[in-house]
Amino acid sequence: MSNIQYDSVSTLVGKVKGLLEGQFRSVSIEGEVTNLSLSSSGHYYFTLSDKSSALSACLFKMDAMRNPAIREIKNGDKVQCIGGIGVYAKRGSFQVIVKRITKTNIGGDLLAEFERLKKKLAGEGLFDLSNKNKIPTLPKKIAVITAQRGAALQDFLNITKRRTLWSNVMVVPALVQGEGAAASIRKALFNTIKYSLENKENAVDVIVLTRGGGSLEDLWAFNDEALAWDIFNCPIPIISAVGHQVDFSISDYVSDLRCETPSAAAQILSEGQSQILSRLENIKKHLSSSGREIILARKDRVHSLRPEALMNKVMNLYQDYKFRLSRCSLEKREFELLGLHEQWQRLDESLKRMNLALERTLKDREHRVNKSFNMLGALNPSNVLERGYSYMTDSSGHVVASSKEFSKLESGAELDIQFSDGKNKVSKV
């Protein structure tokens, strides 16, 4: 297998971080708590271990506030943690980022009961998607079953008020924790259904069961089997928004839609109206922009219809036609039409080429004359005489060029000896 090249430690750690955190976003793990410590900032750090392995874990301050049981946990306790794997890039180590922690010796029986009931109801078809009702896109009346003064209700109301125009929220108070909570929720659900059936014109479009997060014991009212059947048989669509992201209850599985938080439920129910509001806002901006453009266009048109503007337009047309007519005059366009300027340009170019050719020819002839002159100068006898030589000529001026010619001359014949500075007469003996 070929090696994979990484340009830095940070690159490799980032790659591992992305893989681990993407693959293990939600895990549930049981183990023994050791090395438990509380930092000054309110975060809990500990180690989860069994006989063979150990794993670092942390419970950050905000999650610790949602898990008050952490204050009762000590080293050596067996716990169940729900959360995700996180990589601490600075040290290149990974740990469990805990969102929910419970003692297994306290919650073990409840967990077993939860799994038993979950399996039973699933087998009876309460969780089947085919039995789910469709959540209305634009609900007019929303019934919220929750604690009347709970933070979950305030979160829901704040988001609904901000994102909707006409939704009417009806709060149906109920106990959501402790003894009698399940019966209280069932009664609230029954009263909501009864109200909706008796008020056809103002019927409830959707019901929201909600509360904040907590331990398994805190949320146990929403794991009631009778409540599950009431939710299943409810003719009105139901959204379950119980706890936080890591919390699950039987009502989540039975309801027509499960939301992680009350805020998420409010956002989903208000999404339709929010989109309409956004579209209306865009239409408003478009209408305003279009109105301004129409007004400006009408102003420009009115301005263009003024007598002054019409006169200017007529004058501009007159000047344009006058210019176009002047371009039709043959007298002023003789050069353009006959192409004389092009012929003149060609004549100028031909004249330049002729002058350049004559100059080159004269230079060539001059060079050849100089070369011939130099050659004749080299052959001139006078130049030879200056080096100490001389020659003889007879009376007829013929050069006596050899001894044989000299012998043929008669005795007493006069000869001229030519020197560089003159000549002298001699007679043959």
Side-chain angles (χ1 to χ4, degrees):
M1 184 175 66
S2 59
N3 292 330
I4 301 176
Q5 184 70 31
Y6 293 96
D7 56 359
S8 66
V9 175
S10 298
T11 302
L12 177 57
V13 173
K15 183 70 174 178
V16 173
K17 178 180 176 69
L19 290 174
L20 283 180
E21 293 183 352
Q23 186 70 24
F24 301 98
R25 291 182 177 178
S26 181
V27 297
S28 176
I29 184 172
E30 293 185 7
E32 181 178 343
V33 174
T34 57
N35 303 319
L36 178 64
S37 63
L38 173 62
S39 68
S40 58
S41 55
H43 308 316
Y44 287 85
Y45 298 92
F46 55 94
T47 302
L48 285 174
S49 59
D50 56 18
K51 294 180 180 179
S52 304
S53 304
L55 178 63
S56 297
C58 65
L59 181 68
F60 292 125
K61 181 178 179 179
M62 295 304 297
D63 293 317
M65 295 174 64
R66 301 187 187 102
N67 290 268
I70 186 64
R71 293 191 291 268
E72 301 175 5
I73 294 175
K74 58 185 182 300
N75 288 326
D77 285 343
K78 296 281 185 71
V79 296
Q80 180 190 47
C81 295
I82 298 175
I85 297 297
V87 175
Y88 185 39
K90 190 172 183 179
R91 287 202 301 261
S93 61
F94 71 93
Q95 58 190 348
V96 179
I97 308 300
V98 179
K99 295 295 183 180
R100 166 104 174 274
I101 183 170
T102 56
K103 285 186 177 181
T104 55
N105 57 343
I106 293 178
D109 293 340
L110 292 179
L111 286 173
E113 175 63 18
F114 176 81
E115 293 298 331
R116 182 198 65 78
L117 181 58
K118 176 181 167 184
K119 184 176 180 181
K120 175 186 176 184
L121 296 179
E124 293 173 350
L126 270 70
F127 304 161
D128 291 350
L129 295 178
S130 59
N131 295 324
K132 303 292 184 183
N133 294 319
K134 183 179 179 181
I135 303 300
T137 306
L138 299 171
K140 295 181 179 180
K141 194 173 190 65
I142 304 171
V144 181
I145 299 177
T146 188
Q148 192 168 7
R149 294 180 177 82
L153 176 61
Q154 294 305 316
D155 292 342
F156 186 92
L157 293 176
N158 290 337
I159 294 176
T160 303
K161 182 179 179 180
R162 186 178 73 249
R163 290 167 56 93
T164 63
L165 288 176
W166 64 81
S167 289
N168 182 14
V169 179
M170 180 178 70
V171 179
V172 184
L175 296 176
V176 293
Q177 182 176 339
E179 186 176 356
S184 177
I185 296 171
R186 291 185 63 196
K187 183 178 180 181
L189 181 59
F190 173 80
N191 291 334
T192 303
I193 297 172
K194 180 181 178 182
Y195 168 85
S196 183
L197 294 175
E198 293 175 352
N199 296 271
K200 297 292 186 181
E201 296 181 357
N202 195 26
V204 175
D205 297 311
V206 63
I207 299 173
V208 179
L209 296 178
T210 185
R211 64 150 289 165
S215 64
L216 182 62
E217 294 85 352
D218 295 337
L219 304 178
W220 193 250
F222 294 90
N223 297 323
D224 184 75
E225 182 175 2
L227 176 61
W229 280 103
D230 287 348
I231 295 173
F232 179 77
N233 293 319
C234 181
I236 304 172
I238 294 182
I239 295 178
S240 177
V242 179
H244 297 281
Q245 184 177 4
V246 297
D247 299 321
F248 278 89
S249 62
I250 295 298
S251 66
D252 293 332
Y253 295 103
V254 184
S255 297
D256 300 302
L257 178 67
R258 186 252 176 180
C259 293
E260 299 173 352
T261 61
S263 299
Q267 289 177 352
I268 288 175
L269 291 175
S270 60
E271 183 62 24
Q273 292 191 41
S274 179
Q275 291 179 0
I276 292 176
L277 287 172
S278 178
R279 289 176 59 188
L280 288 175
E281 185 64 27
N282 291 333
I283 292 172
K284 176 183 176 182
K285 292 180 180 178
H286 178 71
L287 288 174
S288 178
S289 176
S290 299
R292 286 194 298 269
E293 292 178 0
I294 292 173
I295 291 172
L296 290 175
R298 294 296 184 269
K299 284 184 177 179
D300 292 340
R301 187 174 179 184
V302 170
H303 185 269
S304 65
L305 295 176
R306 291 182 304 116
E308 271 184 32
L310 291 174
M311 194 64 188
N312 290 335
K313 186 177 292 186
V314 171
M315 288 301 297
N316 289 336
L317 287 173
Y318 169 75
Q319 294 296 337
D320 180 57
Y321 289 141
K322 183 179 179 180
F323 172 74
R324 291 168 63 182
L325 185 61
S326 66
R327 288 177 56 84
C328 296
S329 175
L330 299 180
E331 181 181 352
K332 296 180 180 180
R333 299 180 62 195
E334 57 180 341
F335 291 102
E336 178 185 350
L337 297 176
L338 297 177
L340 293 178
H341 60 285
E342 294 181 359
Q343 301 299 329
W344 284 356
Q345 187 175 0
R346 291 176 184 173
L347 287 174
D348 289 341
E349 292 176 352
S350 299
L351 182 61
K352 288 181 181 179
R353 287 197 298 270
M354 289 176 61
N355 289 333
L356 290 174
L358 286 174
E359 288 179 4
R360 285 196 298 269
T361 302
L362 288 174
K363 286 183 180 180
D364 181 59
R365 295 291 188 274
E366 183 180 359
H367 175 72
R368 291 172 63 184
V369 169
N370 289 334
K371 185 177 180 182
S372 299
F373 179 79
N374 292 332
M375 186 178 295
L376 289 174
L379 298 175
N380 189 358
S382 299
N383 293 335
V384 177
L385 296 178
E386 290 179 356
R387 296 199 298 271
Y389 295 95
S390 64
Y391 65 90
M392 292 185 299
T393 59
D394 56 16
S395 58
S396 62
H398 180 71
V399 176
V400 181
S402 63
S403 176
K404 184 177 180 180
E405 291 181 357
F406 183 78
S407 298
K408 291 180 179 182
L409 296 175
E410 296 178 355
S411 297
E414 290 186 355
L415 301 171
D416 290 328
I417 299 176
Q418 184 70 40
F419 297 98
S420 63
D421 55 351
K423 61 181 179 179
N424 291 322
K425 291 184 175 293
V426 296
S427 298
K428 182 180 177 181
V429 179

